[in-house]
Amino acid sequence: MRSAILTSLFALLLSTAAAETVSFTDPRGDDHGDGALVYPTNPVFRPGVFDLVAFKATPEGDGLHLEFEMAAPIQNEWNMAGGFDVQMFFVFIDTQPGGHSAGLPGLNIAFAENSGWERAIVVSPQPFERVVSEIRKAGDLALDVIPAEGVSAVDHTISAYVPLDKLPDLPLENWGFQVVVQSNEGFPEDNDLLTRRVNEFEGEYRFGGGFDGNCDPHVIDVLGASQQLSYDCGVAKATIQMIRVTDG
């Protein structure tokens, strides 16, 4: 009898853990911003290295474990602390009505009225202390921006975690998510938060297909339709929507 009870309890715990995991898939081949973005010419920027194909968030112990699956294998030719080199991610989380509509420095995006964010997680291969320091650039938003910990990579997947005490209460199924894919930049321009700009013309370490007036989104891929990254210089920034479990 005791064995049967323990078995049932174990099965219940597994079921509960599985229910708390949220996962999303994203189309392959949409790593071109609003459609015009061109990769830098240096060979380290291999085709598909910024193409997000799946994202998963799982509560594990006292942390939230994040996984980003990319179309191309992960490499670390720059010997970065996080075990990967060219990618970085911003995970925006919507947990309640309202929230921030502004993006973070270096992204040039805004969030739709029904998609304001309460927390933003920065996943970077830079040393943790450097990320913490850079987050100050977010000004009034910085209190709601969290540097990811335990960053690592294997095969096609980059992983990280955030302590749950830095996040709003679960369950994840009620949250909206948006994952913004950017490129790790150790020497960012102006007030950019470790991001690499999209210029009008590509170069060895610069993306092309954007606008040098700095009104275009500096974003390579997002969860959902790439049309979210359309913009009108001087009129409207690219406006991003949260993706929810219920959307599927």
Side-chain angles (χ1 to χ4, degrees), residues 65-104:
H65 182 73
L66 308 174
E67 292 185 4
F68 309 84
E69 182 183 347
M70 313 306 290
I74 307 302
Q75 76 274 0
N76 191 17
E77 295 183 18
W78 295 345
N79 295 315
M80 299 299 299
F84 59 100
D85 48 15
V86 297
Q87 303 91 345
M88 74 173 297
F89 308 90
F90 296 87
V91 181
F92 294 92
I93 303 174
D94 179 11
T95 64
Q96 62 187 39
H100 305 297
S101 60
L104 292 175

PDB file of all heavy atoms in Angstrom, residues 65-104:
ATOM      1  N   HIS A  65      13.919  27.795 -15.181  1.00  0.00           N
ATOM      2  CA  HIS A  65      14.900  27.355 -16.171  1.00  0.00           C
ATOM      3  C   HIS A  65      14.412  27.733 -17.565  1.00  0.00           C
ATOM      4  O   HIS A  65      13.272  27.443 -17.940  1.00  0.00           O
ATOM      5  CB  HIS A  65      15.084  25.841 -16.066  1.00  0.00           C
ATOM      6  CG  HIS A  65      16.109  25.288 -17.004  1.00  0.00           C
ATOM      7  ND1 HIS A  65      17.459  25.483 -16.821  1.00  0.00           N
ATOM      8  CD2 HIS A  65      15.979  24.553 -18.134  1.00  0.00           C
ATOM      9  CE1 HIS A  65      18.123  24.885 -17.807  1.00  0.00           C
ATOM     10  NE2 HIS A  65      17.249  24.319 -18.608  1.00  0.00           N
ATOM     11  N   LEU A  66      15.267  28.368 -18.337  1.00  0.00           N
ATOM     12  CA  LEU A  66      14.936  28.823 -19.684  1.00  0.00           C
ATOM     13  C   LEU A  66      15.783  28.082 -20.713  1.00  0.00           C
ATOM     14  O   LEU A  66      16.975  27.867 -20.491  1.00  0.00           O
ATOM     15  CB  LEU A  66      15.195  30.330 -19.821  1.00  0.00           C
ATOM     16  CG  LEU A  66      14.565  31.246 -18.778  1.00  0.00           C
ATOM     17  CD1 LEU A  66      15.035  32.678 -18.987  1.00  0.00           C
ATOM     18  CD2 LEU A  66      13.052  31.166 -18.827  1.00  0.00           C
ATOM     19  N   GLU A  67      15.158  27.714 -21.824  1.00  0.00           N
ATOM     20  CA  GLU A  67      15.875  27.070 -22.923  1.00  0.00           C
ATOM     21  C   GLU A  67      15.510  27.738 -24.245  1.00  0.00           C
ATOM     22  O   GLU A  67      14.332  27.938 -24.544  1.00  0.00           O
ATOM     23  CB  GLU A  67      15.549  25.577 -23.000  1.00  0.00           C
ATOM     24  CG  GLU A  67      16.085  24.767 -21.841  1.00  0.00           C
ATOM     25  CD  GLU A  67      15.851  23.280 -22.023  1.00  0.00           C
ATOM     26  OE1 GLU A  67      15.334  22.870 -23.095  1.00  0.00           O
ATOM     27  OE2 GLU A  67      16.178  22.515 -21.097  1.00  0.00           O
ATOM     28  N   PHE A  68      16.544  28.052 -25.031  1.00  0.00           N
ATOM     29  CA  PHE A  68      16.377  28.659 -26.348  1.00  0.00           C
ATOM     30  C   PHE A  68      16.990  27.711 -27.375  1.00  0.00           C
ATOM     31  O   PHE A  68      18.212  27.520 -27.386  1.00  0.00           O
ATOM     32  CB  PHE A  68      17.087  30.010 -26.423  1.00  0.00           C
ATOM     33  CG  PHE A  68      16.741  30.948 -25.293  1.00  0.00           C
ATOM     34  CD1 PHE A  68      17.415  30.864 -24.069  1.00  0.00           C
ATOM     35  CD2 PHE A  68      15.765  31.904 -25.443  1.00  0.00           C
ATOM     36  CE1 PHE A  68      17.114  31.722 -23.029  1.00  0.00           C
ATOM     37  CE2 PHE A  68      15.452  32.773 -24.400  1.00  0.00           C
ATOM     38  CZ  PHE A  68      16.126  32.678 -23.191  1.00  0.00           C
ATOM     39  N   GLU A  69      16.175  27.128 -28.220  1.00  0.00           N
ATOM     40  CA  GLU A  69      16.692  26.231 -29.250  1.00  0.00           C
ATOM     41  C   GLU A  69      16.853  27.018 -30.554  1.00  0.00           C
ATOM     42  O   GLU A  69      15.918  27.683 -31.008  1.00  0.00           O
ATOM     43  CB  GLU A  69      15.754  25.058 -29.475  1.00  0.00           C
ATOM     44  CG  GLU A  69      16.275  24.069 -30.520  1.00  0.00           C
ATOM     45  CD  GLU A  69      15.324  22.929 -30.813  1.00  0.00           C
ATOM     46  OE1 GLU A  69      14.348  22.750 -30.042  1.00  0.00           O
ATOM     47  OE2 GLU A  69      15.534  22.226 -31.817  1.00  0.00           O
ATOM     48  N   MET A  70      18.043  26.928 -31.139  1.00  0.00           N
ATOM     49  CA  MET A  70      18.350  27.671 -32.353  1.00  0.00           C
ATOM     50  C   MET A  70      18.446  26.728 -33.558  1.00  0.00           C
ATOM     51  O   MET A  70      18.697  25.524 -33.396  1.00  0.00           O
ATOM     52  CB  MET A  70      19.656  28.443 -32.184  1.00  0.00           C
ATOM     53  CG  MET A  70      19.757  29.227 -30.881  1.00  0.00           C
ATOM     54  SD  MET A  70      18.375  30.364 -30.577  1.00  0.00           S
ATOM     55  CE  MET A  70      18.694  31.617 -31.840  1.00  0.00           C
ATOM     56  N   ALA A  71      18.292  27.273 -34.743  1.00  0.00           N
ATOM     57  CA  ALA A  71      18.325  26.452 -35.950  1.00  0.00           C
ATOM     58  C   ALA A  71      19.724  25.917 -36.239  1.00  0.00           C
ATOM     59  O   ALA A  71      19.870  24.836 -36.821  1.00  0.00           O
ATOM     60  CB  ALA A  71      17.821  27.258 -37.147  1.00  0.00           C
ATOM     61  N   ALA A  72      20.751  26.651 -35.849  1.00  0.00           N
ATOM     62  CA  ALA A  72      22.138  26.248 -36.116  1.00  0.00           C
ATOM     63  C   ALA A  72      22.822  25.846 -34.812  1.00  0.00           C
ATOM     64  O   ALA A  72      22.444  26.311 -33.732  1.00  0.00           O
ATOM     65  CB  ALA A  72      22.902  27.390 -36.775  1.00  0.00           C
ATOM     66  N   PRO A  73      23.836  24.996 -34.887  1.00  0.00           N
ATOM     67  CA  PRO A  73      24.578  24.616 -33.674  1.00  0.00           C
ATOM     68  C   PRO A  73      25.209  25.837 -33.003  1.00  0.00           C
ATOM     69  O   PRO A  73      25.601  26.797 -33.660  1.00  0.00           O
ATOM     70  CB  PRO A  73      25.658  23.662 -34.196  1.00  0.00           C
ATOM     71  CG  PRO A  73      25.148  23.188 -35.521  1.00  0.00           C
ATOM     72  CD  PRO A  73      24.350  24.315 -36.088  1.00  0.00           C
ATOM     73  N   ILE A  74      25.292  25.777 -31.686  1.00  0.00           N
ATOM     74  CA  ILE A  74      25.881  26.871 -30.913  1.00  0.00           C
ATOM     75  C   ILE A  74      27.401  26.728 -30.912  1.00  0.00           C
ATOM     76  O   ILE A  74      27.932  25.632 -30.740  1.00  0.00           O
ATOM     77  CB  ILE A  74      25.373  26.841 -29.460  1.00  0.00           C
ATOM     78  CG1 ILE A  74      23.838  26.808 -29.423  1.00  0.00           C
ATOM     79  CG2 ILE A  74      25.915  28.027 -28.681  1.00  0.00           C
ATOM     80  CD1 ILE A  74      23.168  27.956 -30.113  1.00  0.00           C
ATOM     81  N   GLN A  75      28.108  27.845 -31.114  1.00  0.00           N
ATOM     82  CA  GLN A  75      29.561  27.827 -31.049  1.00  0.00           C
ATOM     83  C   GLN A  75      30.034  28.882 -30.061  1.00  0.00           C
ATOM     84  O   GLN A  75      29.256  29.719 -29.607  1.00  0.00           O
ATOM     85  CB  GLN A  75      30.192  28.082 -32.426  1.00  0.00           C
ATOM     86  CG  GLN A  75      30.160  29.514 -32.902  1.00  0.00           C
ATOM     87  CD  GLN A  75      28.864  29.888 -33.618  1.00  0.00           C
ATOM     88  OE1 GLN A  75      27.964  29.075 -33.765  1.00  0.00           O
ATOM     89  NE2 GLN A  75      28.790  31.123 -34.063  1.00  0.00           N
ATOM     90  N   ASN A  76      31.328  28.852 -29.742  1.00  0.00           N
ATOM     91  CA  ASN A  76      31.896  29.829 -28.821  1.00  0.00           C
ATOM     92  C   ASN A  76      33.306  30.201 -29.272  1.00  0.00           C
ATOM     93  O   ASN A  76      34.272  30.065 -28.519  1.00  0.00           O
ATOM     94  CB  ASN A  76      31.905  29.289 -27.391  1.00  0.00           C
ATOM     95  CG  ASN A  76      32.237  30.364 -26.360  1.00  0.00           C
ATOM     96  OD1 ASN A  76      32.161  31.558 -26.651  1.00  0.00           O
ATOM     97  ND2 ASN A  76      32.632  29.935 -25.172  1.00  0.00           N
ATOM     98  N   GLU A  77      33.422  30.690 -30.481  1.00  0.00           N
ATOM     99  CA  GLU A  77      34.727  31.041 -31.043  1.00  0.00           C
ATOM    100  C   GLU A  77      35.342  32.248 -30.345  1.00  0.00           C
ATOM    101  O   GLU A  77      36.552  32.469 -30.430  1.00  0.00           O
ATOM    102  CB  GLU A  77      34.596  31.289 -32.541  1.00  0.00           C
ATOM    103  CG  GLU A  77      34.201  30.040 -33.330  1.00  0.00           C
ATOM    104  CD  GLU A  77      34.153  30.285 -34.827  1.00  0.00           C
ATOM    105  OE1 GLU A  77      34.736  31.292 -35.293  1.00  0.00           O
ATOM    106  OE2 GLU A  77      33.537  29.463 -35.533  1.00  0.00           O
ATOM    107  N   TRP A  78      34.514  33.052 -29.662  1.00  0.00           N
ATOM    108  CA  TRP A  78      35.033  34.221 -28.954  1.00  0.00           C
ATOM    109  C   TRP A  78      35.361  33.903 -27.494  1.00  0.00           C
ATOM    110  O   TRP A  78      35.741  34.801 -26.739  1.00  0.00           O
ATOM    111  CB  TRP A  78      34.015  35.365 -29.015  1.00  0.00           C
ATOM    112  CG  TRP A  78      33.775  35.901 -30.399  1.00  0.00           C
ATOM    113  CD1 TRP A  78      34.532  35.682 -31.502  1.00  0.00           C
ATOM    114  CD2 TRP A  78      32.701  36.753 -30.800  1.00  0.00           C
ATOM    115  NE1 TRP A  78      34.007  36.345 -32.587  1.00  0.00           N
ATOM    116  CE2 TRP A  78      32.880  37.013 -32.192  1.00  0.00           C
ATOM    117  CE3 TRP A  78      31.618  37.330 -30.151  1.00  0.00           C
ATOM    118  CZ2 TRP A  78      32.006  37.816 -32.922  1.00  0.00           C
ATOM    119  CZ3 TRP A  78      30.745  38.127 -30.879  1.00  0.00           C
ATOM    120  CH2 TRP A  78      30.936  38.366 -32.243  1.00  0.00           C
ATOM    121  N   ASN A  79      35.182  32.638 -27.104  1.00  0.00           N
ATOM    122  CA  ASN A  79      35.485  32.206 -25.735  1.00  0.00           C
ATOM    123  C   ASN A  79      34.771  33.054 -24.682  1.00  0.00           C
ATOM    124  O   ASN A  79      35.367  33.516 -23.701  1.00  0.00           O
ATOM    125  CB  ASN A  79      37.000  32.240 -25.489  1.00  0.00           C
ATOM    126  CG  ASN A  79      37.741  31.246 -26.356  1.00  0.00           C
ATOM    127  OD1 ASN A  79      37.340  30.098 -26.498  1.00  0.00           O
ATOM    128  ND2 ASN A  79      38.828  31.706 -26.961  1.00  0.00           N
ATOM    129  N   MET A  80      33.484  33.233 -24.884  1.00  0.00           N
ATOM    130  CA  MET A  80      32.689  34.021 -23.948  1.00  0.00           C
ATOM    131  C   MET A  80      32.380  33.226 -22.685  1.00  0.00           C
ATOM    132  O   MET A  80      32.329  31.995 -22.696  1.00  0.00           O
ATOM    133  CB  MET A  80      31.389  34.473 -24.616  1.00  0.00           C
ATOM    134  CG  MET A  80      31.571  35.349 -25.849  1.00  0.00           C
ATOM    135  SD  MET A  80      32.443  36.902 -25.494  1.00  0.00           S
ATOM    136  CE  MET A  80      31.346  37.667 -24.313  1.00  0.00           C
ATOM    137  N   ALA A  81      32.116  33.950 -21.601  1.00  0.00           N
ATOM    138  CA  ALA A  81      31.890  33.327 -20.298  1.00  0.00           C
ATOM    139  C   ALA A  81      30.676  32.413 -20.291  1.00  0.00           C
ATOM    140  O   ALA A  81      30.642  31.414 -19.567  1.00  0.00           O
ATOM    141  CB  ALA A  81      31.718  34.410 -19.234  1.00  0.00           C
ATOM    142  N   GLY A  82      29.655  32.724 -21.097  1.00  0.00           N
ATOM    143  CA  GLY A  82      28.426  31.949 -21.075  1.00  0.00           C
ATOM    144  C   GLY A  82      28.453  30.686 -21.904  1.00  0.00           C
ATOM    145  O   GLY A  82      27.461  29.941 -21.931  1.00  0.00           O
ATOM    146  N   GLY A  83      29.546  30.438 -22.618  1.00  0.00           N
ATOM    147  CA  GLY A  83      29.638  29.219 -23.415  1.00  0.00           C
ATOM    148  C   GLY A  83      29.094  29.352 -24.823  1.00  0.00           C
ATOM    149  O   GLY A  83      29.025  28.371 -25.569  1.00  0.00           O
ATOM    150  N   PHE A  84      28.714  30.547 -25.222  1.00  0.00           N
ATOM    151  CA  PHE A  84      28.310  30.836 -26.605  1.00  0.00           C
ATOM    152  C   PHE A  84      28.791  32.233 -26.918  1.00  0.00           C
ATOM    153  O   PHE A  84      29.225  32.968 -26.017  1.00  0.00           O
ATOM    154  CB  PHE A  84      26.792  30.674 -26.794  1.00  0.00           C
ATOM    155  CG  PHE A  84      25.951  31.549 -25.909  1.00  0.00           C
ATOM    156  CD1 PHE A  84      25.389  32.731 -26.375  1.00  0.00           C
ATOM    157  CD2 PHE A  84      25.683  31.191 -24.593  1.00  0.00           C
ATOM    158  CE1 PHE A  84      24.595  33.534 -25.567  1.00  0.00           C
ATOM    159  CE2 PHE A  84      24.891  31.978 -23.766  1.00  0.00           C
ATOM    160  CZ  PHE A  84      24.348  33.161 -24.254  1.00  0.00           C
ATOM    161  N   ASP A  85      28.739  32.630 -28.189  1.00  0.00           N
ATOM    162  CA  ASP A  85      29.378  33.898 -28.505  1.00  0.00           C
ATOM    163  C   ASP A  85      28.486  34.979 -29.105  1.00  0.00           C
ATOM    164  O   ASP A  85      28.443  36.089 -28.585  1.00  0.00           O
ATOM    165  CB  ASP A  85      30.591  33.678 -29.409  1.00  0.00           C
ATOM    166  CG  ASP A  85      30.322  32.770 -30.595  1.00  0.00           C
ATOM    167  OD1 ASP A  85      29.144  32.506 -30.905  1.00  0.00           O
ATOM    168  OD2 ASP A  85      31.305  32.304 -31.210  1.00  0.00           O
ATOM    169  N   VAL A  86      27.767  34.706 -30.170  1.00  0.00           N
ATOM    170  CA  VAL A  86      27.145  35.802 -30.916  1.00  0.00           C
ATOM    171  C   VAL A  86      25.724  36.145 -30.484  1.00  0.00           C
ATOM    172  O   VAL A  86      25.235  37.238 -30.743  1.00  0.00           O
ATOM    173  CB  VAL A  86      27.161  35.528 -32.434  1.00  0.00           C
ATOM    174  CG1 VAL A  86      28.586  35.442 -32.946  1.00  0.00           C
ATOM    175  CG2 VAL A  86      26.386  34.266 -32.783  1.00  0.00           C
ATOM    176  N   GLN A  87      25.022  35.217 -29.841  1.00  0.00           N
ATOM    177  CA  GLN A  87      23.621  35.468 -29.520  1.00  0.00           C
ATOM    178  C   GLN A  87      23.451  36.169 -28.175  1.00  0.00           C
ATOM    179  O   GLN A  87      24.293  36.105 -27.302  1.00  0.00           O
ATOM    180  CB  GLN A  87      22.822  34.150 -29.463  1.00  0.00           C
ATOM    181  CG  GLN A  87      22.860  33.309 -30.717  1.00  0.00           C
ATOM    182  CD  GLN A  87      23.996  32.306 -30.704  1.00  0.00           C
ATOM    183  OE1 GLN A  87      24.940  32.388 -29.910  1.00  0.00           O
ATOM    184  NE2 GLN A  87      23.931  31.339 -31.608  1.00  0.00           N
ATOM    185  N   MET A  88      22.304  36.828 -28.012  1.00  0.00           N
ATOM    186  CA  MET A  88      21.803  37.228 -26.699  1.00  0.00           C
ATOM    187  C   MET A  88      20.285  37.329 -26.805  1.00  0.00           C
ATOM    188  O   MET A  88      19.736  37.445 -27.917  1.00  0.00           O
ATOM    189  CB  MET A  88      22.418  38.533 -26.198  1.00  0.00           C
ATOM    190  CG  MET A  88      21.921  39.793 -26.860  1.00  0.00           C
ATOM    191  SD  MET A  88      22.567  41.299 -26.057  1.00  0.00           S
ATOM    192  CE  MET A  88      21.871  41.168 -24.412  1.00  0.00           C
ATOM    193  N   PHE A  89      19.618  37.266 -25.651  1.00  0.00           N
ATOM    194  CA  PHE A  89      18.155  37.224 -25.651  1.00  0.00           C
ATOM    195  C   PHE A  89      17.594  38.146 -24.579  1.00  0.00           C
ATOM    196  O   PHE A  89      18.183  38.336 -23.518  1.00  0.00           O
ATOM    197  CB  PHE A  89      17.652  35.799 -25.355  1.00  0.00           C
ATOM    198  CG  PHE A  89      18.254  34.743 -26.230  1.00  0.00           C
ATOM    199  CD1 PHE A  89      19.423  34.091 -25.844  1.00  0.00           C
ATOM    200  CD2 PHE A  89      17.666  34.395 -27.431  1.00  0.00           C
ATOM    201  CE1 PHE A  89      19.986  33.110 -26.640  1.00  0.00           C
ATOM    202  CE2 PHE A  89      18.230  33.411 -28.232  1.00  0.00           C
ATOM    203  CZ  PHE A  89      19.396  32.774 -27.843  1.00  0.00           C
ATOM    204  N   PHE A  90      16.416  38.686 -24.895  1.00  0.00           N
ATOM    205  CA  PHE A  90      15.615  39.400 -23.914  1.00  0.00           C
ATOM    206  C   PHE A  90      14.280  38.667 -23.823  1.00  0.00           C
ATOM    207  O   PHE A  90      13.581  38.517 -24.822  1.00  0.00           O
ATOM    208  CB  PHE A  90      15.363  40.845 -24.348  1.00  0.00           C
ATOM    209  CG  PHE A  90      16.608  41.686 -24.439  1.00  0.00           C
ATOM    210  CD1 PHE A  90      17.359  41.713 -25.603  1.00  0.00           C
ATOM    211  CD2 PHE A  90      17.022  42.466 -23.364  1.00  0.00           C
ATOM    212  CE1 PHE A  90      18.503  42.488 -25.699  1.00  0.00           C
ATOM    213  CE2 PHE A  90      18.166  43.243 -23.451  1.00  0.00           C
ATOM    214  CZ  PHE A  90      18.914  43.255 -24.617  1.00  0.00           C
ATOM    215  N   VAL A  91      13.940  38.188 -22.624  1.00  0.00           N
ATOM    216  CA  VAL A  91      12.661  37.516 -22.411  1.00  0.00           C
ATOM    217  C   VAL A  91      11.762  38.477 -21.646  1.00  0.00           C
ATOM    218  O   VAL A  91      12.017  38.806 -20.480  1.00  0.00           O
ATOM    219  CB  VAL A  91      12.830  36.210 -21.607  1.00  0.00           C
ATOM    220  CG1 VAL A  91      11.478  35.525 -21.420  1.00  0.00           C
ATOM    221  CG2 VAL A  91      13.810  35.277 -22.311  1.00  0.00           C
ATOM    222  N   PHE A  92      10.722  38.953 -22.314  1.00  0.00           N
ATOM    223  CA  PHE A  92       9.763  39.858 -21.691  1.00  0.00           C
ATOM    224  C   PHE A  92       8.568  39.047 -21.206  1.00  0.00           C
ATOM    225  O   PHE A  92       8.057  38.183 -21.929  1.00  0.00           O
ATOM    226  CB  PHE A  92       9.310  40.926 -22.689  1.00  0.00           C
ATOM    227  CG  PHE A  92      10.401  41.876 -23.105  1.00  0.00           C
ATOM    228  CD1 PHE A  92      11.175  41.619 -24.239  1.00  0.00           C
ATOM    229  CD2 PHE A  92      10.663  43.018 -22.365  1.00  0.00           C
ATOM    230  CE1 PHE A  92      12.182  42.493 -24.627  1.00  0.00           C
ATOM    231  CE2 PHE A  92      11.669  43.900 -22.744  1.00  0.00           C
ATOM    232  CZ  PHE A  92      12.430  43.636 -23.873  1.00  0.00           C
ATOM    233  N   ILE A  93       8.113  39.334 -19.978  1.00  0.00           N
ATOM    234  CA  ILE A  93       7.037  38.564 -19.357  1.00  0.00           C
ATOM    235  C   ILE A  93       5.911  39.500 -18.946  1.00  0.00           C
ATOM    236  O   ILE A  93       6.135  40.512 -18.272  1.00  0.00           O
ATOM    237  CB  ILE A  93       7.546  37.788 -18.128  1.00  0.00           C
ATOM    238  CG1 ILE A  93       8.702  36.859 -18.525  1.00  0.00           C
ATOM    239  CG2 ILE A  93       6.420  36.987 -17.496  1.00  0.00           C
ATOM    240  CD1 ILE A  93       9.357  36.175 -17.345  1.00  0.00           C
ATOM    241  N   ASP A  94       4.690  39.135 -19.350  1.00  0.00           N
ATOM    242  CA  ASP A  94       3.481  39.883 -19.001  1.00  0.00           C
ATOM    243  C   ASP A  94       2.683  39.045 -18.010  1.00  0.00           C
ATOM    244  O   ASP A  94       2.193  37.965 -18.350  1.00  0.00           O
ATOM    245  CB  ASP A  94       2.668  40.144 -20.269  1.00  0.00           C
ATOM    246  CG  ASP A  94       1.375  40.890 -19.988  1.00  0.00           C
ATOM    247  OD1 ASP A  94       1.197  41.391 -18.869  1.00  0.00           O
ATOM    248  OD2 ASP A  94       0.531  40.954 -20.908  1.00  0.00           O
ATOM    249  N   THR A  95       2.566  39.514 -16.775  1.00  0.00           N
ATOM    250  CA  THR A  95       1.909  38.728 -15.728  1.00  0.00           C
ATOM    251  C   THR A  95       0.586  39.313 -15.254  1.00  0.00           C
ATOM    252  O   THR A  95      -0.146  38.652 -14.513  1.00  0.00           O
ATOM    253  CB  THR A  95       2.839  38.585 -14.508  1.00  0.00           C
ATOM    254  OG1 THR A  95       3.074  39.879 -13.946  1.00  0.00           O
ATOM    255  CG2 THR A  95       4.161  37.944 -14.915  1.00  0.00           C
ATOM    256  N   GLN A  96       0.271  40.546 -15.667  1.00  0.00           N
ATOM    257  CA  GLN A  96      -0.966  41.175 -15.226  1.00  0.00           C
ATOM    258  C   GLN A  96      -1.293  42.339 -16.156  1.00  0.00           C
ATOM    259  O   GLN A  96      -0.447  42.745 -16.955  1.00  0.00           O
ATOM    260  CB  GLN A  96      -0.820  41.679 -13.778  1.00  0.00           C
ATOM    261  CG  GLN A  96       0.254  42.739 -13.604  1.00  0.00           C
ATOM    262  CD  GLN A  96       0.483  43.102 -12.156  1.00  0.00           C
ATOM    263  OE1 GLN A  96       0.469  42.250 -11.294  1.00  0.00           O
ATOM    264  NE2 GLN A  96       0.687  44.378 -11.886  1.00  0.00           N
ATOM    265  N   PRO A  97      -2.507  42.882 -16.068  1.00  0.00           N
ATOM    266  CA  PRO A  97      -2.845  44.029 -16.916  1.00  0.00           C
ATOM    267  C   PRO A  97      -1.924  45.216 -16.645  1.00  0.00           C
ATOM    268  O   PRO A  97      -1.419  45.393 -15.538  1.00  0.00           O
ATOM    269  CB  PRO A  97      -4.292  44.342 -16.504  1.00  0.00           C
ATOM    270  CG  PRO A  97      -4.824  43.054 -15.976  1.00  0.00           C
ATOM    271  CD  PRO A  97      -3.654  42.390 -15.287  1.00  0.00           C
ATOM    272  N   GLY A  98      -1.713  46.018 -17.673  1.00  0.00           N
ATOM    273  CA  GLY A  98      -0.825  47.173 -17.547  1.00  0.00           C
ATOM    274  C   GLY A  98       0.588  46.797 -17.925  1.00  0.00           C
ATOM    275  O   GLY A  98       0.812  46.057 -18.880  1.00  0.00           O
ATOM    276  N   GLY A  99       1.568  47.299 -17.178  1.00  0.00           N
ATOM    277  CA  GLY A  99       2.955  46.972 -17.463  1.00  0.00           C
ATOM    278  C   GLY A  99       3.627  48.010 -18.345  1.00  0.00           C
ATOM    279  O   GLY A  99       3.034  49.007 -18.757  1.00  0.00           O
ATOM    280  N   HIS A 100       4.901  47.756 -18.647  1.00  0.00           N
ATOM    281  CA  HIS A 100       5.703  48.679 -19.445  1.00  0.00           C
ATOM    282  C   HIS A 100       5.443  48.484 -20.935  1.00  0.00           C
ATOM    283  O   HIS A 100       5.432  47.363 -21.426  1.00  0.00           O
ATOM    284  CB  HIS A 100       7.193  48.449 -19.171  1.00  0.00           C
ATOM    285  CG  HIS A 100       7.568  48.545 -17.727  1.00  0.00           C
ATOM    286  ND1 HIS A 100       7.433  49.698 -16.990  1.00  0.00           N
ATOM    287  CD2 HIS A 100       8.082  47.607 -16.870  1.00  0.00           C
ATOM    288  CE1 HIS A 100       7.849  49.489 -15.748  1.00  0.00           C
ATOM    289  NE2 HIS A 100       8.245  48.232 -15.647  1.00  0.00           N
ATOM    290  N   SER A 101       5.284  49.568 -21.644  1.00  0.00           N
ATOM    291  CA  SER A 101       5.122  49.492 -23.097  1.00  0.00           C
ATOM    292  C   SER A 101       6.417  49.792 -23.835  1.00  0.00           C
ATOM    293  O   SER A 101       6.552  49.491 -25.027  1.00  0.00           O
ATOM    294  CB  SER A 101       4.042  50.471 -23.568  1.00  0.00           C
ATOM    295  OG  SER A 101       4.394  51.809 -23.223  1.00  0.00           O
ATOM    296  N   ALA A 102       7.394  50.375 -23.144  1.00  0.00           N
ATOM    297  CA  ALA A 102       8.681  50.710 -23.765  1.00  0.00           C
ATOM    298  C   ALA A 102       9.578  49.482 -23.831  1.00  0.00           C
ATOM    299  O   ALA A 102       9.542  48.622 -22.947  1.00  0.00           O
ATOM    300  CB  ALA A 102       9.370  51.815 -22.979  1.00  0.00           C
ATOM    301  N   GLY A 103      10.384  49.415 -24.885  1.00  0.00           N
ATOM    302  CA  GLY A 103      11.404  48.385 -24.968  1.00  0.00           C
ATOM    303  C   GLY A 103      12.635  48.803 -24.177  1.00  0.00           C
ATOM    304  O   GLY A 103      12.635  49.839 -23.494  1.00  0.00           O
ATOM    305  N   LEU A 104      13.694  48.008 -24.265  1.00  0.00           N
ATOM    306  CA  LEU A 104      14.930  48.319 -23.556  1.00  0.00           C
ATOM    307  C   LEU A 104      15.938  48.977 -24.497  1.00  0.00           C
ATOM    308  O   LEU A 104      15.832  48.827 -25.723  1.00  0.00           O
ATOM    309  CB  LEU A 104      15.503  47.047 -22.943  1.00  0.00           C
ATOM    310  CG  LEU A 104      14.667  46.465 -21.797  1.00  0.00           C
ATOM    311  CD1 LEU A 104      15.247  45.141 -21.323  1.00  0.00           C
ATOM    312  CD2 LEU A 104      14.570  47.455 -20.635  1.00  0.00           C
TER     313      LEU A 104
END
